[in-house]
C-alpha cells in the first residue's frame, strides 16, 4: 500500500496530465453532433420508458375504479332483477288463484303470507288481512291446491292461521270413492304427511283415494281438497292411514280466506245445544 502511495506521489505530474487529457478528449467528443444526438435519443427513450411505467400504474388505479363502478352497477341490476322476478312470481301466483274455480267456497278474500313459524309440532302462519278486510276467527284458509288451515286470531290488519301441519289442528274429511269418513290430524315430522284417524279396519278405503272436507267439519264447507291416501296398514279395530297433503306449505306465498262457514244452527246441534230456531207457540184451546 505504501509503495502505491509513493508511486503516485513520484509520478503525480504524469497522472494529472493523463487525467486532463482524458477530460479534454471527453469534452471534444461531447461537442460532436453524433454524440449529442445519441445522448438525446437515449434520454428520450429513458423518459418514454419511465412515462410508460407511470401510465401503467395510472391505468391500474383507473381499472380498479372502473371495476368498482361496474360492480356497483351489477349490484343495482341484480337487485332490479330480483324485484322484477319476485313481481312476476307473485303475478303468476295471483293469476293461478284467480284462474282456479273457487265457487265451492263462496266469497273469498285474497291475502299474502307475511310471517311464518315452522317447528316439529307448532307451525303458524300470519297473513296481511284482518278484521278491517272482513276476516273472522274460524274462517277456512285455502290455496289453489286445497286446505291450508283455519284462522285462530284476528287483529285489525293481520290474522294468525293454524295450518293443517299443526299438532292441534283437526278436520273431518271424507274419501271420494268409498265415502269413508275420518278425522285428519298431523302428528309432526314431515310437512307433507298427515294421519287419518277413526277409520275402521272394515272400511273400503283404498290407497290413492282423494280426501276432501266433509259436512261434519265445524269451520270449513264440504268439498275442499285435503290430500290423498298414501298408505293403509291394518289393525284389530282401526286402520293406520297415512295421507299425503295436497298443499306444499314451504312454497306458499298467497292464500284464500273463505267467508263461507257451516251453519251456526248446525254447529249448535252438533255441540248438543238447543235448536237455534225458536219453537212455535202452542195454540190455545177454546
Amino acid at each position: 500500500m505504501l509503495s502505491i502511495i509513493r508511486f503516485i506521489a513520484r509520478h503525480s505530474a504524469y497522472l494529472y496530465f493523463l487525467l486532463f487529457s482524458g477530460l479534454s478528449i471527453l469534452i471534444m467528443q461531447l461537442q460532436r453532433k453524433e454524440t449529442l444526438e445519441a445522448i438525446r435519443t437515449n434520454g428520450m427513450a429513458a423518459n418514454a420508458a419511465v412515462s410508460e411505467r407511470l401510465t401503467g400504474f395510472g391505468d391500474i388505479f383507473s381499472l380498479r375504479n372502473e371495476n368498482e363502478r361496474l360492480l356497483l352497477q351489477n349490484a343495482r341490476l341484480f337487485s332490479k332483477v330480483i324485484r322484477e322476478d319476485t313481481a312476476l312470481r307473485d303475478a303468476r301466483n295471483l293469476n293461478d288463484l284467480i284462474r282456479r274455480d273457487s265457487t265451492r267456497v263462496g266469497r273469498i278474500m285474497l291475502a299474502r303470507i307475511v310471517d311464518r313459524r315452522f317447528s316439529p309440532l307448532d307451525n303458524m302462519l300470519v297473513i296481511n288481512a284482518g278484521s278491517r278486510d272482513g276476516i273472522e276467527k274460524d274462517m277456512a284458509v285455502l290455496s289453489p291446491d286445497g286446505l291450508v288451515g283455519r284462522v285462530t286470531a284476528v287483529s285489525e290488519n293481520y290474522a294468525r292461521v293454524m295450518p293443517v301441519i299443526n299438532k292441534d289442528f283437526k278436520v273431518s274429511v271424507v274419501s271420494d270413492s268409498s265415502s269413508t269418513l275420518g278425522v285428519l290430524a298431523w302428528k309432526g315430522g314431515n310437512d307433507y304427511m298427515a294421519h287419518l284417524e277413526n277409520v275402521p279396519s272394515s272400511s273400503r278405503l283404498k290407497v290413492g283415494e282423494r280426501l276432501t272436507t266433509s259436512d261434519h267439519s265445524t269451520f270449513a264447507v264440504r268439498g275442499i281438497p285435503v290430500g290423498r291416501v298414501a298408505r293403509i296398514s291394518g289393525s284389530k279395530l282401526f286402520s293406520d292411514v297415512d295421507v299425503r297433503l295436497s298443499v306444499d306449505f314451504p312454497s306458499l306465498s298467497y292464500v284464500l280466506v273463505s267467508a263461507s262457514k257451516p251453519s251456526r244452527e248446525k254447529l249448535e246441534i252438533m255441540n248438543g245445544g238447543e235448536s237455534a230456531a225458536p219453537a212455535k207457540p202452542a195454540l190455545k184451546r177454546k
Side-chain angles (χ1 to χ4, degrees):
M1 186 68 179
L2 293 174
S3 60
I4 295 175
I5 295 175
R6 292 193 190 98
F7 177 81
I8 293 175
R10 190 180 303 118
H11 302 89
S12 59
Y14 296 104
L15 292 175
Y16 285 131
F17 174 76
L18 293 175
L19 177 62
F20 289 132
S21 297
L23 289 175
S24 299
I25 294 172
L26 178 61
I27 293 172
M28 292 174 62
Q29 288 293 329
L30 291 175
Q31 294 297 321
R32 296 177 60 188
K33 183 176 180 180
E34 293 81 1
T35 304
L36 293 176
E37 287 293 334
I39 294 173
R40 187 181 298 109
T41 302
N42 292 332
M44 292 177 62
N47 184 41
V50 173
S51 299
E52 184 178 1
R53 291 295 181 88
L54 294 176
T55 303
F57 287 121
D59 290 341
I60 290 175
F61 290 110
S62 178
L63 286 174
R64 179 179 299 174
N65 294 333
E66 182 68 13
N67 288 336
E68 291 178 355
R69 187 185 68 81
L70 291 176
L71 183 62
L72 291 175
Q73 184 176 358
N74 288 335
R76 287 193 294 268
L77 291 174
F78 182 65
S79 176
K80 182 178 180 181
V81 168
I82 290 177
R83 291 196 302 270
E84 291 180 352
D85 183 66
T86 302
L88 288 174
R89 185 168 60 252
D90 289 344
R92 285 196 298 269
N93 291 335
L94 290 174
N95 289 333
D96 193 22
L97 290 172
I98 296 171
R99 190 168 55 249
R100 298 294 182 93
D101 181 16
S102 59
T103 57
R104 66 176 184 274
V105 295
R107 188 172 68 89
I108 61 172
M109 291 159 282
L110 180 66
R112 182 165 54 90
I113 296 175
V114 294
D115 197 4
R116 63 182 68 202
R117 181 179 66 221
F118 281 171
S119 70
L121 293 176
D122 188 19
N123 297 312
M124 177 269 293
L125 305 174
V126 176
I127 59 176
N128 65 341
S131 59
R132 191 172 64 175
D133 306 294
I135 305 295
E136 298 178 6
K137 186 179 178 181
D138 290 331
M139 283 185 172
V141 181
L142 323 168
S143 81
D145 297 316
L147 183 66
V148 172
R150 174 171 60 90
V151 176
T152 57
V154 181
S155 66
E156 184 177 0
N157 298 301
Y158 299 95
R160 185 173 68 238
V161 177
M162 178 190 294
V164 175
I165 52 173
N166 186 295
K167 62 180 178 61
D168 296 325
F169 184 91
K170 293 183 184 295
V171 62
S172 176
V173 297
V174 60
S175 64
D176 57 358
S177 298
S178 61
S179 299
T180 300
L181 291 167
V183 176
L184 186 79
W186 188 67
K187 301 299 184 182
N190 295 330
D191 55 19
Y192 55 85
M193 295 296 293
H195 185 72
L196 189 60
E197 300 176 343
N198 302 336
V199 178
S201 299
S202 59
S203 70
R204 296 176 296 167
L205 186 67
K206 297 180 180 179
V207 173
E209 280 197 68
R210 190 180 69 147
L211 300 174
T212 59
T213 53
S214 73
D215 279 320
H216 299 182
S217 175
T218 58
F219 69 92
V221 296
R222 67 175 182 175
I224 301 174
V226 174
R228 289 187 178 274
V229 177
R231 186 184 66 85
I232 303 174
S233 58
S235 63
K236 293 182 179 179
L237 295 177
F238 294 97
S239 297
D240 186 16
V241 182
D242 291 333
V243 177
R244 186 173 185 88
L245 299 174
S246 301
V247 175
D248 182 13
F249 286 94
S251 66
L252 276 180
S253 55
Y254 285 89
V255 293
L256 302 170
V257 183
S258 173
S260 299
K261 294 191 293 185
S263 166
R264 182 180 298 275
E265 180 182 352
K266 188 197 82 169
L267 295 178
E268 290 179 356
I269 291 295
M270 289 176 61
N271 294 329
E274 296 182 355
S275 173
K280 294 182 179 180
L283 297 177
K284 296 182 179 180
R285 294 182 179 179
K286 294 181 179 180

